[in-house]
Amino acid sequence: MPDFAKMRDQMEHGAGFIAALDQSGGSTPKALALYGVDASAYDGEEAMFAEIQKMRARIMTASDFNSAKVIGAILFEKTLNEAVSGQPVPSYLWENRGVVPFLKIDKGLQDEADDVQLLKPIPGLSETLAAAKEMGVYGTKERSVINAANADGIKAIVANQMDVAHEVINAGMVPIIEPEVNIHSTTKGEAEAMLADALMAQIETLGEGQDVMLKLTLPDVPGLYDALADHPRVLRVVALSGGYSTADASARLAKNHKMIASFSRALTEGLQRDMSDSDFEAALGSNISTIHSASIA
């Protein structure tokens, strides 16, 4: 089994960012289109996922994709059963690249109520967690969405996230709690202040060994989540770009000194399937350096 203590140390102290490589069925066509693979180039879901896996493998095997700048990677569930250079993806990431693997476990969002969208139920979660840990996966990521500053809704979304987090913790893994605040919300700043308070109230109930990570939208008020980042039960607070451009997200991140990046679009921006290997590596290396610089600013 991998050295989970070493993984924990890297996630708590590593100087880098978390690569979000967890495009799912809904987001994969757009990601492929940006990569230069039109929907007419594949037939059906299996062929689509085969194309996105080729893109992910190309990223993971690139020279700059290593623990010097990339300390973790979030994977889609189907990716666990894929191989890179003849190795299962989780073991390839840790053993060959020094990158800590996480698994996206959410199954989408419930319909909006009280201005939030809770996690849908996650059937078979205990079995999924056991299998993932056996493969060397360190933790999980689960996303829900806040669309407006509604105190009841925000308390409900944090409670919903913490219910899942406890299942992950009980399985011996570390959850990345992701209650995303919609960047287009007209009450984004107020929602973020409510979220900070609701998260702290729940995290204060965690005991020794019940560690979590947080993945939060870059806040309107820099430093808003610093107290959460300093809490002994929070290993790391990471930022999602949430639709901000790479330049805007990086500028906002540089003002939040206790957050690191967990971007997806910024990582793959400008990459094209038809690029030569040297051009691909140069473009990816530039993206990695940009995100890394903002994460350690």
Side-chain angles (χ1 to χ4, degrees):
M1 290 291 288
D3 186 341
F4 287 107
K6 186 175 180 182
M7 288 185 179
R8 184 191 191 282
D9 183 69
Q10 179 158 306
M11 296 320 303
E12 187 173 15
H13 302 295
F17 68 93
I18 299 174
L21 298 174
D22 58 332
Q23 295 90 352
S24 58
S27 57
T28 294
K30 183 177 180 181
L32 283 173
L34 291 170
Y35 185 52
V37 182
D38 187 79
S40 62
Y42 51 85
D43 183 15
E45 187 174 86
E46 287 303 313
M48 177 184 74
F49 282 123
E51 288 292 341
I52 200 75
Q53 176 56 24
K54 290 176 187 175
M55 183 183 83
R56 290 170 177 149
R58 201 176 184 190
I59 291 169
M60 288 183 230
T61 55
S63 57
D64 283 324
F65 194 88
N66 61 66
S67 60
K69 294 178 180 177
V70 184
I71 61 173
I74 303 169
L75 306 173
F76 182 51
E77 190 171 350
K78 282 181 71 69
T79 310
L80 294 187
N81 298 313
E82 301 286 354
V84 174
S85 299
Q87 277 184 269
V89 170
S91 64
Y92 176 83
L93 283 172
W94 180 243
E95 293 170 15
N96 295 69
R97 316 307 282 173
V99 174
V100 177
F102 289 82
L103 174 64
K104 167 188 159 67
I105 58 170
D106 60 81
K107 301 297 183 183
L109 304 170
Q110 296 186 34
D111 292 338
E112 183 175 310
D114 289 333
D115 299 305
V116 302
Q117 290 176 274
L118 304 182
L119 298 163
K120 284 184 176 179
I122 308 173
L125 179 57
S126 60
E127 293 82 2
T128 297
L129 295 174
K133 187 174 183 187
E134 183 68 23
M135 296 180 75
V137 175
Y138 177 70
T140 65
K141 195 268 297 194
E142 40 275 4
R143 170 184 173 268
S144 46
V145 175
I146 297 166
N147 291 311
N150 181 315
D152 289 339
I154 289 170
K155 287 178 182 177
I157 208 169
V158 172
N160 177 234
Q161 282 275 355
M162 290 301 294
D163 285 344
V164 175
H166 279 292
E167 288 193 61
V168 175
I169 291 166
N170 290 339
M173 302 171 76
V174 174
I176 300 177
I177 295 167
E178 185 185 5
E180 175 179 348
V181 178
N182 187 332
I183 67 168
H184 302 296
S185 172
T186 57
T187 55
K188 178 175 179 285
E190 297 94 321
E192 287 167 342
M194 291 177 183
L195 176 61
D197 290 341
L199 284 168
M200 184 61 80
Q202 286 280 357
I203 286 168
E204 286 286 353
T205 69
L206 296 173
E208 185 74 27
Q210 294 182 309
D211 296 329
V212 301
M213 296 173 61
L214 305 174
K215 183 170 180 176
L216 305 174
T217 306
L218 288 156
D220 284 358
V221 176
L224 177 66
Y225 300 125
D226 284 1
L228 289 165
D230 290 336
H231 196 282
R233 297 281 66 80
V234 178
L235 288 186
R236 214 67 184 260
V237 179
V238 304
L240 63 105
S241 53
Y244 289 125
S245 69
T246 302
D248 194 1
S250 297
R252 287 171 180 267
L253 179 60
K255 297 176 183 177
N256 287 276
H257 304 297
K258 296 187 178 183
M259 300 179 80
I260 63 171
S262 179
F263 298 164
S264 55
R265 188 175 64 180
L267 179 67
T268 59
E269 190 170 85
L271 302 182
Q272 292 287 298
R273 180 180 63 176
D274 294 338
M275 281 178 164
S276 67
D277 288 344
S278 59
D279 287 347
F280 182 92
E281 293 243 353
L284 178 62
S286 176
N287 292 348
I288 286 173
S289 292
T290 297
I291 300 168
H292 178 257
S293 296
S295 291
I296 63 172

